[in-house]
Amino acid sequence: MNVKAGDMAIVTGSPVPEINGQIVEVLSLFGELLGEGLAWLCTCHSMRDEGYPSLPIPDSMLRPISGVPVRDEQLDEVTA
């Protein structure tokens, strides 16, 4: 598997050109997608704006984006 629930990923190799290059949040395991193998339920802002709250995307078309975790709160430096 390329990704797991909670990951941010970029879509590559989709036969739907509009979705290639989109950054998505991987929500949960969708299961088997006919002819595509294992798929994940994903969402992104552009899909929601077009009326699709989530969309199954095959694992083979998702590449995880790694980096510094994004947090809502500011963490303070611990001093001794």
Side-chain angles (χ1 to χ4, degrees):
M1 289 192 295
N2 293 324
V3 296
K4 63 183 181 307
D7 282 353
M8 298 298 287
I10 189 165
V11 181
T12 62
S14 173
V16 180
E18 297 83 21
I19 198 168
N20 285 318
Q22 292 288 327
I23 304 298
V24 299
E25 179 182 0
V26 179
L27 301 176
S28 62
L29 187 60
F30 178 79
E32 291 291 319
L33 197 58
L34 291 176
E36 298 293 341
L38 184 68
W40 294 91
L41 203 54
C42 301
T43 190
C44 74
H45 292 292
S46 64
M47 287 190 296
R48 281 183 283 196
D49 292 345
E50 293 178 20
Y52 299 99
S54 59
L55 185 69
I57 301 175
D59 184 73
S60 62
M61 295 179 190
L62 295 170
R63 298 291 174 262
I65 299 172
S66 60
V68 178
V70 177
R71 298 178 186 262
D72 289 336
E73 73 278 353
Q74 175 65 36
L75 298 179
D76 293 330
E77 182 178 323
V78 177
T79 57

